[in-house]
Amino acid sequence: MSMTGANAAESDGQAPGGRAEAWPGTFTIRDFLIVAFFHIRVVILAALVPIGLGIAAATLAKTEYTASSLVMVIVSREVTNQQSVTDTGPAVLSIEGLKQVESEVQIIESADVLRTVIEEIGLERLFPPTPLSYLRDLFSSSSVMDRAIARFRSDLRVQVRDGSNVIEIAFTHPSRTLAIETTDKLVETYLARRRLIMQNPTARFLKIEVERFKSELGQTDAAIEALKTSAGIIDFSQDAVLAANQVDAVVQRRRQVAERRVALAGQIAEAEKQLRELPGKVLDFDQTSDSSGNDEDNNMLSRLLVERDRIALQYAPNGSMMREINRKIDTVRRQIATRKDRSYETTRDVRNPAIGYLNNMLLSLRIEADALGQQEKELGDQQQTAEKRLADLRVAETRLVELTRQRDTLNDSYREYLRRATAAQIEESAAAEREAGVRMVQQADAAVTSRNMRLPFLGAGILGGVLFGVAAGAIASALRSTFIMPQETERSLELPMLGEYANRSTTEDPAAMEREVSGLAAFLLDTEVDGRPLRSVQFLAAEPDEALAPLARGIATEITLQRGLRTLLIDLTAPPSDAADDPSARENGGLYVGPSEVPLLWTLRDRTRSKLLDIRLPTAEAQRFMNELGSTFEAVVVCATARDSAAIGHRFEELVDGNALVVRAEKTRKAPAAALRASVVEHGGVPLGFVFVGRRYILPDWIYRLA
């Protein structure tokens, strides 16, 4: 579905009847001003509360005077800002020095010092009674002095200057003279209290304890040395480790010797067993051959063959020499042929060499076994000696640990008491000098400042009024369930504004409503839905509205007069009427309609007999009736409400070309309007937009021009 046409979303800055192409997505300053002016009573009421409180506080505020004194704490006895005389360390306060300065602050703020100051100056003079104080005394369970001390602490400020050992003591009071007097009295009382605290006559007792611990510590050291000498201990830890290692080494060696003796016994037994099984002699070799040692038959045959070849070259084949050599060759060959009948055999036995090897090995094993026996005996003696040394160290350990623990305890106590005795002696010396550790840097009357909180209270009241007013307006706007601007409706319903009707800001102009209806009718007639001109439209309101019927009738009349179209007005908000006595009424498209006093404008006459208005009518039949109406009338205008008990308005949501929601400013609630839009979409209808009815311009005209 596509829809073309100008959206009628009008902004507050435009004149009535103007249109925009899209609704704004942000909250502008003009919207904020509109919401503020709409909830102006709530905003003013919320803003008056902090403003009234600020004015009351500014009226009751008094000028307060603060008197300040500066006191310097001497952290070191030589200088005020260094840790040592030689200036080898950094020129900053040490941690102990900072603790000392902080302790001075705690003394100044102690309840005893404050109670003394209040009593000497006078409670009624320092804090004059008021009607509110009488009422508080009547219902309070705490004592008057406790409340006075708490109030004194609230007016007192004691702090350490950054990076220094100077303490600032400041007291605030409406009376300048009394502020100075109280500050001076506080410093005086603090110094007196400090002198009392610094008195510490304990150095003499601590010195006695130091001497006693020193004597006991010397006796313990002598006992430890005597025990080490008698036990032969140089360093107990190393001696204990060496003794344990020696015992372990001897045990390991005895285990190795025992293992070797078992191995030797097995080797000797096995060697003797194998020796008994060995024979005395063994075969060296056995040889059988068919040739003797001086057999030269083959060599002789070779020489004869060579000789015959030589003679064959010199003599005739049948000569006597050839016959002689052939005869020798035949004799040698016969000798060689009879060799297999002549056999020779040689056999030799020797003494078994393994017997000598085993005898030598048995001798070596027996010698090693005797040596291991002597070694095991020696290792046993060494083990007894090492175990005896280890046992002696165990016995000495208990006594040595006890003496060492006693010495450590005495040493710690001796050092602690020596430190405390030295500190006590120094404290006594410092206390004897009285104010040697604290120096007055500035008197209270040298720096007196005044403060008046009228303007801050008034400014805080105005700022709180602005914040409270903004918060109250935001909360009221968030809780508001109606629409006051078209932009809110556009953002909530996600629909464009088609136009306005019955704008309350233009009631003095008699032609304004006519212009609004004319512009809306022209916009609807120029709108296309899916490429087709808009010819049937329904004006649908979430709740009954007195402007709905006049709006629909004005639109239908404008279409008839402006375009000359045959128009049908279906007013479903009017009460049912009987058309039996009306001769001009006739049925068309399931409706009983008749002409009105406006030419070409027809209206619904009888709702009870109109089939199209039957809620049980099938959708296909209803669409057929609408087609019949479309063939008879060129434009159809329907007006209905979602609160109708018969739900007839929902029948036309999908039958008409488009649906225009009617939203009344400051009356139509957001939830029913959103539900009505969802209903149109769920029934398959086309939501064109909404018509904003009864709008009024909340801001003055000059603000609209500026914003």
Side-chain angles (χ1 to χ4, degrees):
M1 185 274 295
S2 63
M3 183 181 69
T4 62
N7 296 330
E10 178 187 351
S11 63
D12 284 320
Q14 298 171 342
R19 297 180 176 89
E21 289 298 329
W23 55 86
T26 58
F27 194 78
T28 62
I29 299 178
R30 185 173 55 227
D31 297 337
F32 172 77
L33 294 176
I34 292 173
V35 172
F37 272 81
F38 183 78
H39 301 286
I40 190 65
R41 295 181 180 178
V42 177
V43 172
I44 292 176
L45 182 61
L48 286 178
V49 175
I51 291 176
L53 294 176
I55 293 174
T59 304
L60 298 176
K62 298 180 181 179
T63 302
E64 295 182 344
Y65 297 91
T66 302
S68 301
S69 291
L70 296 180
V71 175
M72 183 173 64
V73 180
I74 307 301
V75 177
S76 175
R77 294 184 60 83
E78 290 80 13
V79 293
T80 61
N81 58 353
Q82 295 181 358
Q83 290 184 342
S84 61
V85 181
T86 58
D87 195 18
T88 57
V92 295
L93 291 178
S94 64
I95 299 299
E96 296 298 330
L98 295 177
K99 290 182 179 180
Q100 180 178 349
V101 176
E102 186 65 26
S103 65
E104 299 294 337
V105 174
Q106 299 298 328
I107 295 174
I108 297 173
E109 294 180 342
S110 63
D112 291 338
V113 174
L114 302 183
R115 183 181 295 106
T116 304
V117 173
I118 294 173
E119 290 175 351
E120 292 184 3
I121 294 179
L123 177 60
E124 294 184 356
R125 182 179 173 216
L126 191 60
F127 302 115
T130 60
L132 182 60
S133 63
Y134 287 121
L135 184 62
R136 184 171 56 249
D137 295 341
L138 183 61
F139 293 98
S140 179
S141 59
S142 59
S143 64
V144 178
M145 182 56 69
D146 292 340
R147 290 194 300 272
I149 292 175
R151 186 174 177 182
F152 193 96
R153 280 201 179 100
S154 63
D155 297 334
L156 177 65
R157 186 179 75 252
V158 181
Q159 60 183 5
V160 181
R161 293 292 182 89
D162 295 337
S164 68
N165 55 339
V166 176
I167 302 176
E168 179 184 5
I169 305 172
F171 183 76
T172 303
H173 197 271
S175 174
R176 185 178 187 275
T177 304
L178 197 56
I180 297 174
E181 181 182 354
T182 304
T183 305
D184 291 338
K185 180 60 67 174
L186 179 62
V187 174
E188 180 183 351
T189 307
Y190 152 67
L191 294 177
R193 181 66 177 174
R194 186 177 182 275
R195 286 193 298 268
L196 181 62
I197 293 174
M198 293 303 176
Q199 293 178 1
N200 185 20
T202 58
R204 182 170 55 85
F205 302 101
L206 293 175
K207 284 291 185 180
I208 296 175
E209 292 296 323
V210 168
E211 294 298 330
R212 183 177 65 84
F213 280 115
K214 182 178 181 181
S215 176
E216 293 181 359
L217 186 61
Q219 296 175 3
T220 305
D221 290 337
I224 292 175
E225 292 298 328
L227 178 62
K228 288 184 177 181
T229 302
S230 61
I233 299 174
I234 300 175
D235 186 353
F236 179 78
S237 300
Q238 294 183 358
D239 290 344
V241 172
L242 291 175
N245 292 338
Q246 185 177 5
V247 172
D248 183 69
V250 172
V251 171
Q252 293 294 333
R253 292 183 61 187
R254 292 194 65 180
R255 291 175 180 175
Q256 295 174 0
V257 169
E259 292 175 359
R260 182 57 184 165
R261 291 192 65 180
V262 173
L264 287 176
Q267 291 178 356
I268 292 173
E270 182 64 24
E272 291 177 350
K273 176 182 177 182
Q274 293 182 5
L275 183 62
R276 287 192 298 270
E277 294 177 356
L278 290 177
K281 294 182 179 180
V282 294
L283 177 65
D284 187 16
F285 68 88
D286 188 4
Q287 180 180 10
T288 302
S289 175
D290 58 351
S291 62
S292 59
N294 296 323
D295 189 1
E296 294 291 336
D297 294 342
N298 291 330
N299 297 332
M300 184 178 292
L301 178 60
S302 297
R303 289 194 296 270
L304 291 176
L305 290 175
V306 172
E307 182 67 19
R308 189 183 66 178
D309 291 339
R310 186 181 65 79
I311 292 174
L313 293 175
Q314 296 177 0
Y315 296 98
N318 296 324
S320 58
M321 294 188 68
M322 287 295 296
R323 288 195 301 271
E324 180 64 20
I325 196 67
N326 287 333
R327 184 178 60 80
K328 291 180 179 181
I329 290 173
D330 292 338
T331 302
V332 172
R333 286 178 174 172
R334 285 195 299 269
Q335 185 68 20
I336 292 173
T338 59
R339 180 181 299 171
K340 61 182 179 179
D341 297 334
R342 294 172 293 157
S343 299
Y344 299 93
E345 182 177 353
T346 304
T347 300
R348 186 175 68 179
D349 294 334
V350 297
R351 187 177 179 275
N352 193 352
I355 294 176
Y357 173 76
L358 288 177
N359 287 329
N360 293 334
M361 186 178 67
L362 282 174
L363 181 60
S364 299
L365 292 176
R366 289 190 179 96
I367 294 172
E368 185 178 359
D370 293 339
L372 288 176
Q374 297 296 327
Q375 184 179 2
E376 184 176 10
K377 181 179 179 182
E378 181 61 25
L379 288 175
D381 297 339
Q382 292 181 7
Q383 182 177 357
Q384 290 180 359
T385 303
E387 289 177 352
K388 183 178 180 301
R389 172 63 176 170
L390 187 60
D392 294 340
L393 290 177
R394 287 197 188 99
V395 173
E397 179 185 10
T398 303
R399 180 60 180 166
L400 184 61
V401 169
E402 181 181 356
L403 292 175
T404 304
R405 186 186 303 115
Q406 184 178 355
R407 182 185 183 281
D408 293 339
T409 303
L410 292 174
N411 187 34
D412 294 340
S413 301
Y414 172 75
R415 294 175 60 185
E416 178 66 20
Y417 274 86
L418 181 61
R419 183 185 64 81
R420 291 175 59 184
T422 305
Q425 187 175 3
I426 295 174
E427 289 176 0
E428 289 182 4
S429 301
E433 297 178 5
R434 295 184 180 271
E435 298 182 3
V438 177
R439 305 291 173 84
M440 178 66 69
V441 178
Q442 175 182 290
Q443 296 292 337
D445 55 353
V448 181
T449 59
S450 62
R451 182 183 62 175
N452 194 308
M453 297 297 294
R454 289 190 179 91
L455 290 178
F457 284 155
L458 187 58
I462 295 174
L463 179 60
V466 173
L467 296 179
F468 271 62
V470 172
I475 294 173
S477 177
L479 297 178
R480 176 170 46 81
S481 62
T482 58
F483 302 102
I484 62 174
M485 294 183 294
Q487 291 88 339
E488 291 181 337
T489 312
E490 291 173 350
R491 286 192 291 265
S492 179
L493 301 181
E494 297 182 357
L495 292 176
M497 187 179 72
L498 304 178
E500 290 186 359
Y501 181 72
N503 195 319
R504 286 185 285 174
S505 299
T506 59
T507 53
E508 298 179 358
D509 188 0
M513 188 174 298
E514 183 179 351
R515 289 196 303 269
E516 294 170 352
V517 173
S518 176
L520 181 57
F523 174 75
L524 293 175
L525 291 175
D526 293 339
T527 301
E528 294 182 356
V529 178
D530 293 336
R532 296 184 294 106
L534 182 67
R535 288 297 176 260
S536 59
V537 62
Q538 177 182 213
F539 291 91
L540 193 59
E543 299 174 349
D545 195 289
E546 63 273 9
L548 179 60
L551 172 63
R553 188 173 184 82
I555 295 295
T557 303
E558 185 67 23
I559 293 174
T560 303
L561 298 178
Q562 186 183 40
R563 300 294 177 95
L565 301 179
R566 188 182 180 87
T567 307
L568 172 62
L569 173 61
I570 304 175
D571 187 2
L572 300 179
T573 62
S577 61
D578 190 2
D581 299 335
D582 190 355
S584 62
R586 63 174 181 176
E587 183 180 5
N588 190 338
L591 297 175
Y592 278 90
V593 298
S596 65
E597 64 276 7
V598 180
L600 299 179
L601 178 60
W602 291 67
T603 60
L604 177 66
R605 295 302 178 84
D606 190 358
R607 292 176 53 182
T608 58
R609 293 190 297 169
S610 298
K611 298 179 181 180
L612 183 59
L613 302 181
D614 187 3
I615 194 63
R616 298 180 179 84
L617 184 68
T619 304
E621 189 69 15
Q623 190 64 46
R624 185 180 65 80
F625 284 148
M626 284 298 297
N627 294 335
E628 292 180 7
L629 293 175
S631 62
T632 304
F633 301 98
E634 296 174 298
V636 178
V637 179
V638 185
C639 66
T641 60
R643 297 284 296 273
D644 188 1
S645 59
I648 301 176
H650 296 300
R651 161 65 65 183
F652 288 92
E653 291 177 357
E654 60 178 337
L655 299 179
V656 297
D657 294 339
N659 295 268
L661 307 184
V662 178
V663 178
R664 176 169 286 277
E666 304 177 18
K667 184 177 180 181
T668 302
R669 293 180 293 116
K670 297 179 181 179
L676 181 59
R677 180 194 182 281
S679 174
V680 172
V681 176
E682 290 175 0
H683 286 84
V686 179
L688 300 176
F690 67 92
V691 179
F692 208 58
V693 179
R695 179 191 178 189
R696 66 184 177 94
Y697 290 93
I698 301 172
L699 297 179
D701 294 337
W702 64 272
I703 296 182
Y704 277 112
R705 288 193 297 270
L706 292 177

